[in-house]
DNA sequence: TATGAATGAGCCTTCATTCAT
DNA sequence: AATGAATGAAGGCTCATTCAT
């Protein structure tokens, strides 16, 4: 018998993202995804229960990767401006380098189908962030605010700009990038 | 007769938003929308060329309303912090009061179908903002930055929080709201 | 708008029977039935919820017709041999003249899908028979037996022969028919 | 090795009957049958050309067993009422004890797929019956009728009742059984 | 021999859209 | 203008069957 290819799951994931980003959610059919992945549509059903199952798992997979993207292995997380800057830059780099995954994910975080997954997922979303924010607040590095507020003030502007640029096809020069970080930082720092 | 028409178009718009937000994009069929709007599916084709046409026009309609939401009629736009705060609050109020329209719009701004509309639309997006930002920069009220940056720094955090709260069902108390505005303002003010 | 054709339901019924008897149950697809009925497959779904619903309703429809077939309108049902013979002959004529419906029905009475319908249906199956059998027993025309036994002894042999002949393509001459009735009658008469 | 094969074929047969009777013909897929038989679906294709081939062979197998069921080994077949009664009872016992096989077979005797097999099969159906009936007619034990008629008059009623009871879940008490045989016998005896 | 992986064909069903009234 | 009826096309999914080990 042939060996069930673990790599095949990722081929399907990549194909799904590609098709969905190209043709939208409604334009994405299992057969299109299958063709893009160079497998038979029936094959997808060997790896997933159904379309929803596939989308959910794909969503969780990308979400997990994104969650990890903030923190490079071995890097320190002492509460300092430079730590925040590193995290911020990591995030920026990840979403620009994986713009398709990122767009896919943003598209779906609002989708009713995904929201129950989302709810459950949010709970264990980012314990690392919780910790970092708390100690930063304790050391009076940043303002005492709800963690969600901090997160949004820090990351929402750059995320929003990346998405906008995706559409227009522009890129943000490094100078501007620093400027945006400094502004975001100012909004939360004490 | 003209009035009757217009009223029906908006009934269809409201129904479409309702169905789409309830069942997702793929779950929204013309017949479901028709039923929700209490018309026959065939009737929709008297007012729109096809489904895409309807979605596009709906998108533009909501986008226009959102664009107007920032500025209350007759209000002054002299470049001052309080002007910015008013605009910011207007925006917040509008999206919380019209959360369905807002979610719909956000959902679709990333959708391939909408992006050509978006591109064209963005150009004449908000001349008022351009003006306001430019004079504010000239008077050194805010930092000299790309207008897109200013816009994102000012609005992206609160938008992001509203969406997150939509899912979790929470609401932001007024105190917190002020805090968020102050933070956002700090990120762009000089 | 076009008028919903009540005759269309019967066209679909006829087509379904034809296809099912020709190609068997597994060989019968909605599209084949649709083609046979000269309608689009989608049209069938205007009249029935789904395939099972259609089969069930078809089954009930034929069953009802068969139930009525025993008794010609206006005919007497006094308990006498000639009454039984008339009923018996009516039944024979009906199933030979509607052999397709009959075969379809026999095919499905054993099918798991149909058996819940069947169970419910059996209750009000044939009150007329109950009555006739009871009075015939009371007048000592026939033996005192369970009504089901009477029914089977009377009709099962001829039904079985008709089905066998359907396959072989033979027909039963009138002489033989009388002989079979006389035999069946002997098995229940006192 | 030969033994192992045979055992597996019968495991497949049993599984097929089980699945088909449980879920109907359309609900019976090769993989379900395979799972029920505890083999891989591919394995079935080592023993049968395809699904039809399997069903046909299964049908012939059960039909053969049923054909043998009438006659217990070493029993006498002199033309007498008691011989007929023995045969009749044997048949009854067999179909009640092997109700699944019996139901399966009845289900398929009307199925187009099976009817060519049936036609060919009928020829050498039951030479023993032919013989018995002929001598019984010659000795004026039973009426001079077509053998098919005799067969149907004798067995169709009890078969029909067994099937009906299968559905309703009842059983026939011995007293009634004798009564039914006596009735059936009266219909053919001289 | 035995089997998990793979797939083209086909099934049931729904959809966006048009037709006829 | 309005709509129920109708449908070709497509979608998700399963199946009988074959492949490769």
């Amino acid at each position: 018998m042939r060996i069930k290819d673990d790599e095949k799951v990722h081929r399907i994931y990549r194909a799904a993202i590609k098709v969905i980003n190209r043709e939208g959610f409604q334009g994405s059919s299992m057969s299109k995804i299958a063709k893009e992945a160079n497998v038979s549509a029936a094959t997808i059903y060997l790896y997933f229960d159904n379309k929803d199952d596939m989308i959910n798992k794909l969503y969780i997979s990308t979400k997990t990767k994104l969650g990890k993207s903030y923190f490079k292995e071995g890097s320190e997380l002492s509460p300092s401006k430079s730590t925040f800057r590193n995290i911020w830059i990591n995030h920026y780099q990840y979403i620009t380098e994986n713009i398709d995954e990122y767009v896919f994910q943003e598209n779906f975080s609002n989708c009713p189908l995904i929201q129950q997954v989302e709810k459950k997922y949010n709970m264990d979303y980012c314990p690392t962030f919780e910790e970092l924010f708390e100690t930063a607040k304790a050391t009076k590095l940043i303002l005492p605010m709800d963690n969600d507020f901090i997160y949004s003030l820090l990351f929402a502007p750059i995320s929003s700009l990346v998405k906008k640029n995706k559409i227009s096809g522009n890129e943000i020069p490094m100078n501007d990038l620093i400027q945006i970080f400094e502004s975001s930082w100012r909004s939360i720092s004490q």
Side-chain angles (χ1 to χ4, degrees), chain A:
Chain A
M1 69 182 172
R2 288 172 238 171
I3 292 165
K4 201 163 172 179
D5 202 343
D6 193 50
E7 191 270 338
K8 197 162 285 182
V9 168
H10 290 97
R11 227 162 74 209
I12 295 169
Y13 280 161
R14 278 195 303 276
I17 289 176
K18 211 164 173 179
V19 171
I20 291 172
N21 283 346
R22 189 201 316 136
E23 319 204 22
F25 203 4
Q26 347 92 277
S28 78
S29 69
M30 291 303 260
S31 53
K32 276 182 196 165
I33 292 170
K35 189 173 286 179
E36 183 74 40
N38 260 320
V39 296
S40 161
T43 302
I44 300 181
Y45 289 86
L46 293 179
Y47 296 88
F48 303 99
D49 289 345
N50 50 43
K51 196 182 184 184
D52 275 7
D53 180 50
M54 191 198 78
I55 301 285
N56 279 349
K57 284 182 177 150
L58 169 54
Y59 181 73
I60 290 173
S61 157
T62 59
K63 192 96 184 179
T64 306
K65 280 168 72 181
L66 185 73
K68 287 180 184 159
S69 78
Y70 295 99
F71 311 104
K72 293 230 165 113
E73 232 168 315
S75 61
E76 276 224 45
L77 292 178
S78 62
S80 68
K81 183 177 173 185
S82 77
T83 296
F84 277 88
R85 185 172 45 225
N86 287 341
I87 290 173
W88 195 90
I89 294 281
N90 286 344
H91 179 67
Y92 172 76
Q93 283 178 337
Y94 183 83
I95 63 180
T96 47
E97 282 163 20
N98 300 275
I99 185 69
D100 279 340
E101 285 191 21
Y102 183 65
V103 167
F104 161 79
Q105 193 186 251
E106 286 287 304
N107 254 328
F108 283 54
S109 56
N110 292 341
C111 164
L113 287 182
I114 234 74
Q115 291 190 357
Q116 43 182 353
V117 180
E118 183 70 10
K119 254 182 190 166
K120 173 177 145 257
Y121 191 82
N122 262 335
M123 288 194 293
D124 48 335
Y125 174 47
C126 230
T128 321
F129 268 127
E130 304 280 325
E131 250 182 73
L132 178 63
F133 289 173
E134 292 303 336
T135 56
K137 282 187 280 192
T139 58
K140 309 219 169 177
L141 181 67
I142 63 176
L143 292 167
M145 305 170 95
D146 185 290
N147 287 342
D148 278 344
F149 298 177
I150 299 170
Y151 182 83
S152 288
L153 286 160
L154 194 51
F155 292 112
I158 186 60
S159 298
S160 150
L161 286 167
V162 167
K163 273 190 286 179
K164 207 173 284 177
N165 281 18
K166 160 83 201 306
I167 296 172
S168 61
N170 298 331
E171 253 186 72
I172 303 174
M174 185 48 98
N175 281 354
D176 289 350
L177 209 57
I178 296 300
Q179 193 183 32
I180 297 165
F181 171 73
E182 291 293 337
S183 286
S184 295
W185 175 249
R186 215 175 311 127
S187 72
I188 60 169
S189 67
Q190 200 155 354

